[in-house]
Amino acid sequence: MADTRIKGAEALMRSLIEEKVDTIFGYPGGSIITVFDAMYSFRDAITQILTRHEQGAIHAAQGFARVTGEPGVVIVTSGPGATNVVTGLADAMLDSTPLVVISGQVSSPLLGSDAFQETDVVGITLPVTKWCYQVRKAADIPWAVARAFYIAREGRPGPVMLDITKDAQNELMEFSYQKCTFIRSYDPYPEIKPSTIEMAAELINQAERPFALVGQGVILGEAEDEVVEFLTKADIPAGTTLLGLPALSKSFRLNKGMLGMHGNIGPNRKTAECDVLIAIGMRFDDRVTGDLKTYAKQAKVIHFDIDSSEIGKNVNVDVPILADVKTSIPAVTALLKPAKHTEWVDSFAVHEQEEMERVILPEIKPVSGPITMGEAIHKVSEASARNAVLVTDVGQNQMMACRYFKFESKRSLVTSGGLGTMGFGLPAAIGAAFGAPERQICLFTGDGGIQMTIQELGTIMEYSVPVKIVILNNKFLGMVRQWQELFYRERYSCTPMKNPDFPKLAAAYGIPGRKVTEHEALDGAIREMFETEGPYLLEVEVEENGMVYPMIPAGTNVDNIILGD
C-alpha cells in the first residue's frame, strides 16, 4: 500500500496554498532548506521572491500587506535569518500590519544546546508579535498555520511568527487542513454596546465645534466610505494621522489635512478649540498629541477603536466605542441629525491661507536657490497616475512626501509610522509592486535611508520590479540635522554624508536613472522617469539646509508651532 504521508515542509506549502498565499518573500539557509526544497514544487502556484537580505524580505512583505490588506508572508532560516526580521516585526506590530513570518530552527534534540545558528526565536519575538509559536512536530504545522493567519488578519491586524524545527520539516505526516475561525481566548470583533452608540450620537448632535481625527484603523477596517458618510451627514471637519492619510481623499471638502508634529496648521490648532473630539481608528500617538497635559482639555472625547488597550491609554475618553469601525461608525451615523457647521468649517480657511503663504508656496514653488524637496515631490505627484501608491522611507523625505503628495485612491500610502524605520522604503516599494501590479509605485527616499537597504536594487534587477525611485539627496541625515540646527546649536554630529553616484550605482544593476541639480531639468527628468518602462532611479539634489515646516517640537503643544522664517 502506497504511503500517502508527506513531509512537514510540503504540509507547510499546502497550508499556505489553503490560505490563498500567492507570494512569498524570503531567503534560504540550512535550517529552512527543506522548506525551500518543497517550495520548488510549488513555484507555479506561488511567486517566490529572493530578496538580498532578510530585512528586505520582511519590509517587502509589509509593503505587500499594506496595499492588499492580506498578510505578507516571509520565510527565513534560523539564527541570523530570524534575528534579521525582528526590526520588521516591531515595525509591523506598531503599524498594525498583518504578517506571517516563518523561520527555520535547529532540530528539537538540539534546542537549548547552543547549536549552530540556534537562537531563542520565541523569546526574542514575543514582545513584537501578536502571537509566536514554535512547531516541533510535523502534525502541528497545518494547525499552527491556520491559527497564524487567523490572528494576523482578524481584529487589529499584526505580525505572527512561526518557528519550525528542522525535524518537524522532515517528519512524515498525513495532511489535512482546517481553516481557523475561532480562538476561545481571542475576541477580534467586540460586540457593540448600544448605550455608547447613543451617547456618542447625542454628543455629536449637540456639538457646535466637532472635529474628527481619522487614523489607519479606518483603512484597516475598510471603512473609508462609511467615515465619509458620517462626516458629511454631521458636517464634521477632519484631520488625518500620518498612516490615516489615504482614508480621505485630499479633495474631500471636510478633509483639513494632516495632524501631528509636521502636520497642517489648521487641524493642529483646531484640536485645541473643538468641543467634541472624535477619534476614529487612531491611538493618540505622541507625535499627534504632543504634551498630554494640555492636549484637547476643552473637549469631550469619543474614541472608536477595535483594540481595548488603546482606549484611555494616553487620553481620557468620555465615550469609548469598542468595536469594528466598519459597523460602529454606521451605527452612530444612523442616529445623527443632518447638520451644518458652516462657521466652524470655514474657520479653518484662515489657517490654510497662512500655511499656503508662509510654508507651502515657498516650498513647492521656490523663486530662487536650489531645488526643494517639496518642489520635487509636488511635481512628481502632479505627473503620477491617479491610482499611484506613495512609498516613503523615514525622515524629511517622508514628512515632505506625505505633505505634498496627492492621495486619491484607497491604500495609497506605505510608510513606517510608529517605529520610523530607516531603510524601510526601497524593499517596501518592491513588495507594494508585487501586491498591486496594476498601480504605479512611487518611492521617495533620502540619501541616508536608501543606503540602509540599497542591496535590494538587486531584487529589482532580478524581477524587473517597476518601481519609480526618487532620491532626495541633501547630503545629510536631514531630519536629525534639522533637530541639530533647531535644538543643538548647529552641532552637526555624524549627519553630513558623502554619497556615491546613485544613477551609476543603479546602472550597475541594470536600472536606468538620472541626476538632476537644476530646476529647469526637473520636469523633463520626471517625464522621462514615468515614460520609461520598468524601474527608474531619479536622484534630485536638493537644498542641504531644507527644513520641514510646520513643526511642533516634541513634547510641547500647538502654541509652540514653528512656521519657519
Side-chain angles (χ1 to χ4, degrees):
M1 184 175 178
D3 191 345
T4 58
R5 295 178 299 169
I6 62 173
K7 283 186 177 183
E10 183 178 342
L12 173 62
M13 298 310 300
R14 290 192 183 186
S15 298
L16 295 176
I17 293 286
E18 291 285 345
E19 292 292 341
K20 304 293 190 287
V21 172
D22 59 12
T23 306
I24 293 173
F25 303 90
Y27 208 98
S31 289
I32 198 70
I33 193 169
T34 307
V35 168
F36 275 80
D37 181 67
M39 282 174 61
Y40 190 82
S41 300
F42 290 84
R43 61 193 185 278
D44 293 333
I46 298 179
T47 301
Q48 300 160 19
I49 308 301
L50 171 67
T51 57
R52 297 307 184 259
H53 191 281
E54 291 91 353
Q55 185 174 352
I58 195 164
H59 290 331
Q62 289 176 269
F64 180 92
R66 294 277 280 276
V67 298
T68 64
E70 289 297 316
V73 178
V74 180
I75 302 181
V76 296
T77 194
S78 63
T83 58
N84 281 342
V85 300
V86 173
T87 296
L89 288 170
D91 194 289
M93 189 68 175
L94 280 169
D95 286 354
S96 302
T97 304
L99 298 178
V100 174
V101 182
I102 299 161
S103 62
Q105 184 55 274
V106 300
S107 292
S108 300
L110 295 177
L111 290 170
S113 70
D114 293 332
F116 178 66
Q117 291 194 332
E118 180 195 2
T119 55
D120 181 4
V121 171
V122 172
I124 291 170
T125 63
L126 182 63
V128 291
T129 54
K130 282 185 74 176
W131 184 58
C132 57
Y133 184 76
Q134 187 173 81
V135 181
R136 301 184 185 184
K137 295 180 179 179
D140 292 338
I141 288 175
W143 170 87
V145 170
R147 190 180 180 95
F149 275 88
Y150 180 77
I151 293 172
R153 280 190 184 114
E154 304 303 322
R156 181 179 181 176
V160 169
M161 186 85 186
L162 294 180
D163 190 44
I164 307 179
T165 62
K166 197 165 185 177
D167 49 330
Q169 298 169 38
N170 283 286
E171 188 180 10
L172 294 175
M173 60 167 290
E174 293 285 352
F175 179 77
S176 65
Y177 195 81
Q178 184 175 351
K179 295 195 78 167
C180 180
T181 58
F182 172 77
I183 297 174
R184 186 173 59 181
S185 60
Y186 180 47
D187 182 15
Y189 300 104
E191 188 175 342
I192 295 176
K193 293 183 179 179
S195 60
T196 61
I197 298 296
E198 293 166 3
M199 290 168 63
E202 184 178 358
L203 267 183
I204 295 169
N205 284 332
Q206 293 174 354
E208 296 179 0
R209 299 181 307 281
F211 185 50
L213 313 180
V214 176
Q216 189 192 202
V218 173
I219 299 167
L220 299 176
E222 300 181 343
E224 296 95 335
D225 295 340
E226 288 81 357
V227 168
V228 167
E229 183 181 352
F230 166 80
L231 298 173
T232 301
K233 184 175 182 179
D235 201 31
I236 301 171
T240 62
T241 65
L242 177 72
L243 295 182
L245 278 167
L248 301 176
S249 167
K250 279 204 171 181
S251 60
F252 177 50
R253 178 181 68 88
L254 293 168
N255 182 3
K256 300 304 178 182
M258 186 170 73
L259 299 154
M261 178 179 284
H262 294 291
N264 297 106
I265 299 173
N268 281 321
R269 285 186 172 160
K270 292 302 180 181
T271 300
E273 297 177 22
C274 65
D275 58 359
V276 175
L277 188 66
I278 309 157
I280 310 172
M282 55 88 69
R283 58 188 178 88
F284 288 111
D285 178 77
D286 65 287
R287 284 298 193 262
V288 168
T289 65
D291 185 3
L292 286 170
K293 295 186 183 70
T294 59
Y295 181 75
K297 293 301 180 183
Q298 80 292 340
K300 294 288 187 181
V301 178
I302 303 168
H303 192 173
F304 293 82
D305 209 287
I306 200 168
D307 186 349
S308 60
S309 70
E310 294 297 349
I311 296 179
K313 183 177 75 175
N314 295 324
V315 173
N316 291 329
V317 175
D318 296 282
V319 182
I321 300 180
L322 181 62
D324 181 3
V325 70
K326 182 81 170 178
T327 55
S328 60
I329 283 288
V332 173
T333 303
L335 300 180
L336 294 181
K337 300 173 183 175
K340 284 292 179 186
H341 298 289
T342 304
E343 184 177 346
W344 169 241
V345 174
D346 289 348
S347 70
F348 283 78
V350 63
H351 301 299
E352 292 166 356
Q353 184 64 30
E354 178 185 17
E355 186 168 350
M356 181 62 70
E357 293 174 358
R358 295 187 59 181
V359 179
I360 297 175
L361 286 177
E363 180 63 41
I364 67 174
K365 295 183 178 180
V367 295
S368 62
I371 299 171
T372 64
M373 285 192 182
E375 176 186 11
I377 292 161
H378 175 71
K379 286 180 176 289
V380 171
S381 179
E382 289 298 306
S384 66
R386 287 183 61 85
N387 72 341
V389 176
L390 168 66
V391 185
T392 83
D393 210 274
V394 168
Q396 287 185 319
N397 67 87
Q398 176 187 36
M399 293 296 106
M400 285 293 197
C402 289
R403 281 182 55 82
Y404 296 117
F405 201 87
K406 63 186 178 186
F407 296 101
E408 299 296 339
S409 303
K410 297 176 182 179
R411 292 191 176 272
S412 56
L413 173 63
V414 178
T415 193
S416 172
L419 200 63
T421 304
M422 286 183 67
F424 174 87
L426 184 61
I430 293 169
F434 279 101
E438 75 287 355
R439 301 179 70 178
Q440 194 176 75
I441 309 298
C442 298
L443 166 66
F444 287 96
T445 182
D447 46 312
I450 194 169
Q451 292 186 79
M452 286 193 167
T453 51
I454 201 164
Q455 72 279 350
E456 298 308 329
L457 290 175
T459 308
I460 291 176
M461 172 184 67
E462 180 156 342
Y463 300 99
S464 300
V465 189
V467 174
K468 308 303 182 184
I469 305 165
V470 182
I471 300 175
L472 301 173
N473 185 358
N474 58 9
K475 302 174 185 175
F476 271 93
L477 297 177
M479 188 59 84
V480 183
R481 184 208 61 78
Q482 176 167 334
W483 282 53
Q484 288 172 332
E485 179 171 331
L486 292 174
F487 310 118
Y488 290 87
R489 306 189 308 281
E490 300 182 15
R491 291 159 61 89
Y492 299 127
S493 175
C494 292
T495 48
M497 296 193 74
K498 187 173 183 179
N499 295 309
D501 186 322
F502 289 110
K504 284 185 179 178
L505 191 56
Y509 286 96
I511 300 170
R514 179 175 172 183
K515 181 175 181 177
V516 172
T517 60
E518 303 295 332
H519 298 273
E520 297 75 20
L522 187 56
D523 287 335
I526 292 170
R527 184 167 54 252
E528 178 182 305
M529 176 175 70
F530 285 126
E531 289 177 353
T532 300
E533 188 174 345
Y536 191 97
L537 185 146
L538 174 61
E539 178 186 358
V540 183
E541 192 172 287
V542 297
E543 57 180 341
E544 293 184 14
N545 61 343
M547 307 285 271
V548 185
Y549 291 126
M551 180 181 183
I552 302 173
T556 66
N557 59 40
V558 293
D559 294 335
N560 296 293
I561 194 168
I562 303 171
L563 299 180
D565 300 331

